[in-house]
Amino acid sequence: MMIRLDKYLAELGYGTRSQVKKDIAGGQVTVNGVQAKRPEIKIDADRDQVTYKGDAVTFEKYEYYMLNKPAGTVTATEDRSDPTVLDLLKDQRRKGLFPVGRLDKDTEGLLLITNDGETAHRLLSPRKHVDKVYYADVRGKVTEEDVRSFAEGVDIGDEKMTMPADLEILESGAISRIRLTIREGRFHQVKRMFQSVGKEVIYLKRLQMGSLVLDTELKPGEYRKLTKEEVDSLC
Ligand code: URA
């Protein structure tokens, strides 16, 4: 793939077009071992060896990040009033990255961020029924009856009942602790499912989406690239 050097670097997230142009003019970029002088030169992204400030620039068509979304961020690419999940990917601002699916502003946990539209589409497709696993603290005593209701499907005010979901009670009390696996992604689904049985979700965290499991090393707000194994099993 032939592409202009400044466009290539900007698309890979090395800076805006004008920043990258300045860096090229400042002698910070080499192509095949030779200092690049002009931003408009065309390079072959599959063959040419580019360095930026001494580091090799590698071209990957698709990038995949696992973010432990913190509460208070919105799952969007831009927002007027709140920080977005993409704002957290500080040095990796490759163009075209977007979050796969939506977590509420107050929900934490696993969020995949990628520029791979096809994989995102597959993970989100209502027909694929990809498992999503959540941990929640719930106000009210979660009971075996709730387990049975969720397994059958509950009325959350939509046209259709929810699909069978697996509810596991970790602790039942004034505040209950649960794990829930759902196979759909309706708006506020987990909160509305508990509402339908007269309870309130007071803390929600996504732990898993399909084969992708939240890395317990990641603190809220931290992210990392997916490993090759994770990408392979996802795609
Ligand atoms: N269900 C919810 O209610 N909220 C989320 O953020 C995700 C699933």
Side-chain angles (χ1 to χ4, degrees), residues 9 52-53 57 71 96 98 110 113 117-118 125-126 136 193 198 205 235:
L9 291 170
Y52 178 85
K53 298 188 178 172
V57 171
F98 60 88
L110 176 65
I113 296 179
E118 210 174 295
S125 163
M193 285 175 77
K205 177 177 185 174
C235 302

PDB file of all heavy atoms in Angstrom, residues 9 52-53 57 71 96 98 110 113 117-118 125-126 136 193 198 205 235:
ATOM      1  N   LEU A   9       1.932   8.411   9.145  1.00  0.00           N
ATOM      2  CA  LEU A   9       2.275   8.592  10.564  1.00  0.00           C
ATOM      3  C   LEU A   9       1.088   9.148  11.353  1.00  0.00           C
ATOM      4  O   LEU A   9       0.833   8.733  12.479  1.00  0.00           O
ATOM      5  CB  LEU A   9       3.497   9.504  10.696  1.00  0.00           C
ATOM      6  CG  LEU A   9       4.802   8.878  10.196  1.00  0.00           C
ATOM      7  CD1 LEU A   9       5.906   9.925  10.122  1.00  0.00           C
ATOM      8  CD2 LEU A   9       5.243   7.720  11.098  1.00  0.00           C
ATOM      9  N   TYR A  52      10.509   6.523  13.741  1.00  0.00           N
ATOM     10  CA  TYR A  52      10.023   7.807  14.246  1.00  0.00           C
ATOM     11  C   TYR A  52      10.705   8.042  15.582  1.00  0.00           C
ATOM     12  O   TYR A  52      10.573   7.220  16.493  1.00  0.00           O
ATOM     13  CB  TYR A  52       8.502   7.735  14.408  1.00  0.00           C
ATOM     14  CG  TYR A  52       7.885   8.994  14.965  1.00  0.00           C
ATOM     15  CD1 TYR A  52       7.560  10.055  14.132  1.00  0.00           C
ATOM     16  CD2 TYR A  52       7.620   9.109  16.325  1.00  0.00           C
ATOM     17  CE1 TYR A  52       6.994  11.209  14.640  1.00  0.00           C
ATOM     18  CE2 TYR A  52       7.049  10.266  16.839  1.00  0.00           C
ATOM     19  CZ  TYR A  52       6.739  11.296  15.995  1.00  0.00           C
ATOM     20  OH  TYR A  52       6.179  12.440  16.494  1.00  0.00           O
ATOM     21  N   LYS A  53      11.464   9.105  15.668  1.00  0.00           N
ATOM     22  CA  LYS A  53      12.246   9.399  16.871  1.00  0.00           C
ATOM     23  C   LYS A  53      13.042   8.172  17.316  1.00  0.00           C
ATOM     24  O   LYS A  53      13.077   7.821  18.498  1.00  0.00           O
ATOM     25  CB  LYS A  53      11.340   9.916  17.988  1.00  0.00           C
ATOM     26  CG  LYS A  53      10.659  11.229  17.612  1.00  0.00           C
ATOM     27  CD  LYS A  53       9.901  11.859  18.754  1.00  0.00           C
ATOM     28  CE  LYS A  53       9.307  13.193  18.289  1.00  0.00           C
ATOM     29  NZ  LYS A  53       8.405  13.796  19.235  1.00  0.00           N
ATOM     30  N   VAL A  57       8.533   1.992  13.211  1.00  0.00           N
ATOM     31  CA  VAL A  57       7.083   2.181  13.060  1.00  0.00           C
ATOM     32  C   VAL A  57       6.538   0.919  12.410  1.00  0.00           C
ATOM     33  O   VAL A  57       6.986   0.535  11.334  1.00  0.00           O
ATOM     34  CB  VAL A  57       6.799   3.401  12.154  1.00  0.00           C
ATOM     35  CG1 VAL A  57       5.322   3.495  11.797  1.00  0.00           C
ATOM     36  CG2 VAL A  57       7.294   4.682  12.814  1.00  0.00           C
ATOM     37  N   ALA A  71     -15.725   4.316  35.764  1.00  0.00           N
ATOM     38  CA  ALA A  71     -16.986   5.056  35.845  1.00  0.00           C
ATOM     39  C   ALA A  71     -16.693   6.516  35.514  1.00  0.00           C
ATOM     40  O   ALA A  71     -15.578   7.002  35.749  1.00  0.00           O
ATOM     41  CB  ALA A  71     -17.562   4.931  37.251  1.00  0.00           C
ATOM     42  N   GLY A  96      -9.710   6.228  13.419  1.00  0.00           N
ATOM     43  CA  GLY A  96     -10.663   5.162  13.120  1.00  0.00           C
ATOM     44  C   GLY A  96     -10.936   4.205  14.264  1.00  0.00           C
ATOM     45  O   GLY A  96     -11.700   3.253  14.108  1.00  0.00           O
ATOM     46  N   PHE A  98     -12.708   2.858  17.556  1.00  0.00           N
ATOM     47  CA  PHE A  98     -14.023   3.098  18.180  1.00  0.00           C
ATOM     48  C   PHE A  98     -14.291   1.997  19.212  1.00  0.00           C
ATOM     49  O   PHE A  98     -13.728   0.903  19.118  1.00  0.00           O
ATOM     50  CB  PHE A  98     -15.131   3.115  17.110  1.00  0.00           C
ATOM     51  CG  PHE A  98     -15.226   1.825  16.344  1.00  0.00           C
ATOM     52  CD1 PHE A  98     -16.016   0.786  16.784  1.00  0.00           C
ATOM     53  CD2 PHE A  98     -14.484   1.641  15.186  1.00  0.00           C
ATOM     54  CE1 PHE A  98     -16.084  -0.415  16.090  1.00  0.00           C
ATOM     55  CE2 PHE A  98     -14.535   0.441  14.477  1.00  0.00           C
ATOM     56  CZ  PHE A  98     -15.340  -0.586  14.939  1.00  0.00           C
ATOM     57  N   LEU A 110     -14.747  -4.298  31.129  1.00  0.00           N
ATOM     58  CA  LEU A 110     -14.188  -4.654  29.819  1.00  0.00           C
ATOM     59  C   LEU A 110     -14.826  -3.899  28.653  1.00  0.00           C
ATOM     60  O   LEU A 110     -16.038  -3.977  28.442  1.00  0.00           O
ATOM     61  CB  LEU A 110     -14.392  -6.160  29.593  1.00  0.00           C
ATOM     62  CG  LEU A 110     -13.944  -6.690  28.239  1.00  0.00           C
ATOM     63  CD1 LEU A 110     -12.434  -6.565  28.086  1.00  0.00           C
ATOM     64  CD2 LEU A 110     -14.383  -8.132  28.059  1.00  0.00           C
ATOM     65  N   ILE A 113     -11.709  -1.810  22.141  1.00  0.00           N
ATOM     66  CA  ILE A 113     -11.592  -0.656  21.251  1.00  0.00           C
ATOM     67  C   ILE A 113     -10.761  -1.080  20.052  1.00  0.00           C
ATOM     68  O   ILE A 113      -9.678  -1.656  20.223  1.00  0.00           O
ATOM     69  CB  ILE A 113     -10.946   0.532  21.999  1.00  0.00           C
ATOM     70  CG1 ILE A 113     -11.873   0.962  23.144  1.00  0.00           C
ATOM     71  CG2 ILE A 113     -10.670   1.705  21.056  1.00  0.00           C
ATOM     72  CD1 ILE A 113     -11.363   2.093  23.982  1.00  0.00           C
ATOM     73  N   GLY A 117     -14.006  -3.028  11.887  1.00  0.00           N
ATOM     74  CA  GLY A 117     -15.464  -2.943  11.852  1.00  0.00           C
ATOM     75  C   GLY A 117     -16.149  -4.287  11.725  1.00  0.00           C
ATOM     76  O   GLY A 117     -17.217  -4.505  12.288  1.00  0.00           O
ATOM     77  N   GLU A 118     -15.512  -5.193  10.986  1.00  0.00           N
ATOM     78  CA  GLU A 118     -16.153  -6.483  10.746  1.00  0.00           C
ATOM     79  C   GLU A 118     -16.271  -7.296  12.038  1.00  0.00           C
ATOM     80  O   GLU A 118     -17.322  -7.864  12.336  1.00  0.00           O
ATOM     81  CB  GLU A 118     -15.302  -7.255   9.734  1.00  0.00           C
ATOM     82  CG  GLU A 118     -16.092  -8.197   8.885  1.00  0.00           C
ATOM     83  CD  GLU A 118     -15.198  -8.791   7.817  1.00  0.00           C
ATOM     84  OE1 GLU A 118     -14.716  -8.013   6.946  1.00  0.00           O
ATOM     85  OE2 GLU A 118     -14.942  -9.987   7.890  1.00  0.00           O
ATOM     86  N   SER A 125     -23.667  -8.269  16.710  1.00  0.00           N
ATOM     87  CA  SER A 125     -24.845  -8.714  15.969  1.00  0.00           C
ATOM     88  C   SER A 125     -25.839  -9.418  16.892  1.00  0.00           C
ATOM     89  O   SER A 125     -25.480 -10.369  17.589  1.00  0.00           O
ATOM     90  CB  SER A 125     -24.412  -9.665  14.855  1.00  0.00           C
ATOM     91  OG  SER A 125     -25.539 -10.384  14.409  1.00  0.00           O
ATOM     92  N   PRO A 126     -27.108  -8.972  16.896  1.00  0.00           N
ATOM     93  CA  PRO A 126     -28.095  -9.601  17.781  1.00  0.00           C
ATOM     94  C   PRO A 126     -28.286 -11.085  17.444  1.00  0.00           C
ATOM     95  O   PRO A 126     -28.716 -11.857  18.281  1.00  0.00           O
ATOM     96  CB  PRO A 126     -29.380  -8.820  17.521  1.00  0.00           C
ATOM     97  CG  PRO A 126     -29.047  -7.710  16.605  1.00  0.00           C
ATOM     98  CD  PRO A 126     -27.661  -7.905  16.072  1.00  0.00           C
ATOM     99  N   ALA A 136     -22.220  -7.570  39.464  1.00  0.00           N
ATOM    100  CA  ALA A 136     -22.999  -6.417  39.965  1.00  0.00           C
ATOM    101  C   ALA A 136     -23.226  -6.499  41.463  1.00  0.00           C
ATOM    102  O   ALA A 136     -23.327  -7.590  42.037  1.00  0.00           O
ATOM    103  CB  ALA A 136     -24.345  -6.331  39.247  1.00  0.00           C
ATOM    104  N   MET A 193     -33.192  -5.476  33.910  1.00  0.00           N
ATOM    105  CA  MET A 193     -33.579  -6.833  34.329  1.00  0.00           C
ATOM    106  C   MET A 193     -33.785  -6.867  35.849  1.00  0.00           C
ATOM    107  O   MET A 193     -34.746  -7.457  36.339  1.00  0.00           O
ATOM    108  CB  MET A 193     -32.517  -7.848  33.904  1.00  0.00           C
ATOM    109  CG  MET A 193     -32.564  -8.152  32.403  1.00  0.00           C
ATOM    110  SD  MET A 193     -31.236  -9.246  31.861  1.00  0.00           S
ATOM    111  CE  MET A 193     -31.847 -10.838  32.438  1.00  0.00           C
ATOM    112  N   GLY A 198     -37.750  -5.860  40.911  1.00  0.00           N
ATOM    113  CA  GLY A 198     -37.862  -4.973  42.078  1.00  0.00           C
ATOM    114  C   GLY A 198     -36.553  -4.675  42.783  1.00  0.00           C
ATOM    115  O   GLY A 198     -36.545  -4.358  43.970  1.00  0.00           O
ATOM    116  N   LYS A 205     -20.079  -3.980  36.500  1.00  0.00           N
ATOM    117  CA  LYS A 205     -18.780  -4.103  35.833  1.00  0.00           C
ATOM    118  C   LYS A 205     -18.848  -5.251  34.831  1.00  0.00           C
ATOM    119  O   LYS A 205     -19.307  -6.344  35.180  1.00  0.00           O
ATOM    120  CB  LYS A 205     -17.726  -4.427  36.901  1.00  0.00           C
ATOM    121  CG  LYS A 205     -16.332  -4.650  36.370  1.00  0.00           C
ATOM    122  CD  LYS A 205     -15.383  -4.891  37.514  1.00  0.00           C
ATOM    123  CE  LYS A 205     -13.958  -4.996  37.036  1.00  0.00           C
ATOM    124  NZ  LYS A 205     -13.022  -5.092  38.139  1.00  0.00           N
ATOM    125  N   CYS A 235     -11.422 -13.110  16.500  1.00  0.00           N
ATOM    126  CA  CYS A 235     -11.712 -12.906  15.064  1.00  0.00           C
ATOM    127  C   CYS A 235     -11.981 -14.224  14.356  1.00  0.00           C
ATOM    128  O   CYS A 235     -12.156 -14.309  13.203  1.00  0.00           O
ATOM    129  CB  CYS A 235     -10.558 -12.175  14.394  1.00  0.00           C
ATOM    130  SG  CYS A 235     -10.218 -10.599  15.161  1.00  0.00           S
TER     131      CYS A 235
END
